[in-house]
Amino acid sequence: MLALVPPGDRRIGMNPHGNGGRLRVRLELPRLADHEVDVPSPGGVTLSALEAAGRYLADVVEAGANRRRFLVACPDELESNKLGALLHVTGRRYLWPHSSDDSTLTPDGRVLEVLSEHQCQGWLQGYLLTGRHGVFPCYEAFVEIVDGMANQYAKFLKVARELPWRAPVSSFNYLLTSDGWRQEHNGYSHQGPGFINSMLNKKASVTRIYLPPDANCLLATLERCLTSTDSMNLVVCSKQPLPQWLSMPEARAHCAAGASTWTWASPRDDGDPDVVLAGAGTIPMIEVLAAAHLLREDLPDLRVRVVNVTDLLSLESPADHPHGLSDEEFRTLFTPDRPVIFFFHGYPSAIHQLVHHRPEPERFHVRGYIEEGTTTTPFDLLVANEASRYHLAVAALQRARGMASIGGRLVEEYHQRLLAHRRYILEHGVDPPEVRDWTWS
Amino acid sequence: MLALVPPGDRRIGMNPHGNGGRLRVRLELPRLADHEVDVPSPGGVTLSALEAAGRYLADVVEAGANRRRFLVACPDELESNKLGALLHVTGRRYLWPHSSDDSTLTPDGRVLEVLSEHQCQGWLQGYLLTGRHGVFPCYEAFVEIVDGMANQYAKFLKVARELPWRAPVSSFNYLLTSDGWRQEHNGYSHQGPGFINSMLNKKASVTRIYLPPDANCLLATLERCLTSTDSMNLVVCSKQPLPQWLSMPEARAHCAAGASTWTWASPRDDGDPDVVLAGAGTIPMIEVLAAAHLLREDLPDLRVRVVNVTDLLSLESPADHPHGLSDEEFRTLFTPDRPVIFFFHGYPSAIHQLVHHRPEPERFHVRGYIEEGTTTTPFDLLVANEASRYHLAVAALQRARGMASIGGRLVEEYHQRLLAHRRYILEHGVDPPEVRDWTWS
């Protein structure tokens, strides 16, 4: 019978139409240094990380022969996702005749834009499986629409990785662009970080989840995603202008580590802090830093360590995920036994699930999105989800050792400030200056 | 301005078209006693719980005026889901002309059958929101297709519950019918319990998750779901013929409790067991009982307690979910500090997440679906996911106190049996008699 099987490359599995990885050519990527966002001091500059990503992706399109092997499939307005820079170097693909009034429509455009998450998911899967590359920018709350398709594709990748004859294909890159913590005119319907949980259910060999805290980290993350294979990379980012924290060299080191202590934000950390304030995500990290700031001014003796987690799966045990920090690295970062106040971008359960196999997981006190708040001010949304800087500071005071007496006074004061802010927001419809104008110093 | 607002029932929100709960009339439900499955002894009879559910739902259709207020929206073949009994009392709704060859098509059928999960989800939402009732049977792995729609509907229910003027509507009832643990001819693509995790992300006021372990528990659960309002009820069940455990009175008491010790399976439990074996789901509970059976025969001195969890959210702290067992009930059920070997139907992370706020959560050692195994025998699928009776028994031996010496020998023996079974399965393509013919005694 085996004599009937055609030899070598004549077998179906060897056909490049079915094994497109054999045709894959690496993307030519621009130098990150040429895209570095200048950060004179932490928080010293405010800009949109996605606008920087848009300029980087525009250069990706222009580099070498990438025009023949790179696509952006986007169910939402590319501009509304702040990726408009792409349209300066390419167009939205449109094959039918169009009039001179139509702008940015071209038959060979590298952007496929149609308001159907299903269509974009399918398009990009097919494109990657034929040996090429791409990204899928999507509103965070609506990527869940393709949960079923993503599950099946993850199963395909898991099995494909187990077949030695299958050549690797480029990873599927999700770029979640409109996170629920900044609502603008949208409300409760536009809040939905659950895709992170779906990814956590999948095989560790396949899933990667990144929450770059600023523009340079996002660029370093994009470079990593665009060179990876046989994975599903979920990148959660913000399109709003936000404070920038790290230089490109710092961002590269931070992203390579997956998570690290931000020493410039931890002045009193002598290696044995009283409490660790950790954040994952852009908005959460702002609140974590603001909470550290509050505590530094109001309680100078409290030794606070500030940690950012940009590679979410670095939290998982290395036995459970290849990106997991070693137990020693984990203990060094979060201490062996001190309380950790963690503000996570998504549902708190994800962090509990990830640290379950780590030492003393109960010391992780997690705040995150708890399905509260709708169209309101950015700060009021944080308050509704009990995750504002004041909530984090209170949680730290209630758990750090020896804080009973002096901490109690501050806790009361912070509660009073929350009430005052609430009154201000109801009256003026914007956040109070103390919050609006806060900057790191 | 307010003078322009029409009075009372003339306001838009009071219009029954927009506030359908005002038209809601309770379903007339058949007596469960008339549908009780006779269980002479635990495991003494084998049948399909879904066939029993089909007969119950057929009676629901026939009862009183239910024909005007009850629908079954099903994206899969009703018969393949073992709910065919419904077609003896009603038809598949079809309005266009049809020939005499067409069977079970009627213009007023209570069954809407079309292979589009999206369409079924939308149909049933609209039907419930106009004050009526229904269920949505769906293959477990494919309900994730409507994850995005379910998220939005859960958000709607959460907000609707907060508006005093909105009358309650009937709950949305998911009936997951083809669980991944019994593959028949389907494979890896048909394994996907992730919808449970999606439900866990939603507001506690809205979500309910049930995994009835047998037919009588399923019927008691259906009665509860069909009388509830403003919730999303997820019921995970099996269509294959499986051993039955509880009489209807026992099932009612068990479902009311949410979780309980199965004393008949815990003969050596003197109130202070060495280890707790717990299960949630039909197939997991069979393996848990088989593991308890093994240990009872091979290690008569080991005091094993067998627990079943049918209301998954009874595991969560009462502070986090209204169905949560009190801390005292939880301690009484799982002991304050003994190891718990838990076989969960879905991804293990769900259990870790649920017990996070319970005492000593690390003592919960959870097995479940870990994205392994494809078309193979039922037992081989359990082995691939490291969740067979032998894996559970070994996990118990490795964690129960004072098992080091004698336990070690058994651990080795069980590993040998797993290897022998694997050889048998590869040779014969079916499970070995020891597994296939196992019954509780």
Side-chain angles (χ1 to χ4, degrees), chain A residues 367-441:
Chain A
R367 298 296 172 104
Y369 179 61
I370 54 172
E371 290 280 335
E372 289 297 338
T374 180
T375 312
T376 180
T377 71
F379 184 75
D380 199 43
L381 183 60
L382 292 162
V383 174
N385 287 280
E386 299 168 6
S388 78
R389 56 200 64 183
Y390 297 104
H391 291 88
L392 301 178
V394 167
L397 291 169
Q398 289 170 334
R399 284 163 183 79
R401 293 163 313 164
M403 282 298 113
S405 57
I406 177 163
R409 229 184 334 96
L410 266 182
V411 167
E412 178 51 28
E413 182 187 329
Y414 291 159
H415 282 312
Q416 290 307 324
R417 263 194 252 181
L418 279 173
L419 292 174
H421 289 345
R422 183 106 184 99
R423 282 192 298 273
Y424 183 98
I425 290 166
L426 288 175
E427 188 180 345
H428 300 86
V430 294
D431 287 328
E434 175 188 342
V435 172
R436 212 168 59 238
D437 306 336
W438 174 83
T439 55
W440 175 261
S441 63

Side-chain angles (χ1 to χ4, degrees), chain A residues 84-105:
Chain A
L86 275 161
L87 299 176
H88 301 151
V89 301
T90 186
R92 298 180 172 93
R93 180 168 303 191
Y94 193 79
L95 300 178
W96 286 356
H98 51 269
S99 76
S100 57
D101 306 337
D102 299 325
S103 71
T104 75
L105 299 183

Side-chain angles (χ1 to χ4, degrees), chain B residues 193-216:
Chain B
F195 200 65
I196 292 172
N197 301 70
S198 302
M199 295 291 278
L200 289 178
N201 288 338
K202 305 187 194 320
K203 214 61 188 172
S205 58
V206 170
T207 51
R208 311 286 182 257
I209 304 171
Y210 304 101
L211 298 104
D214 69 2
N216 285 326

Side-chain angles (χ1 to χ4, degrees), chain A residues 75-77 80-81 115-118 120-121 136-150 174-180 183 185-195 234 239, chain B residues 118 145-149 151-152 155:
Chain A
D76 309 292
E77 272 255 299
S80 90
N81 285 320
L115 190 29
S116 163
E117 285 77 7
H118 293 107
C120 291
Q121 172 83 26
F136 177 1
C138 186
Y139 269 46
E140 177 181 52
F142 303 130
V143 71
E144 293 170 344
I145 289 170
V146 292
D147 194 50
M149 293 177 79
Y174 293 98
L175 211 56
L176 302 194
T177 55
S178 284
D179 79 73
Q183 285 300 299
H185 54 287
N186 297 319
Y188 187 41
S189 63
H190 283 52
Q191 302 164 4
F195 200 64
L234 181 64
K239 63 184 188 181
Chain B
H118 294 105
I145 289 170
V146 292
D147 194 50
M149 293 177 79
N151 291 341
Q152 294 301 326
K155 286 174 179 287

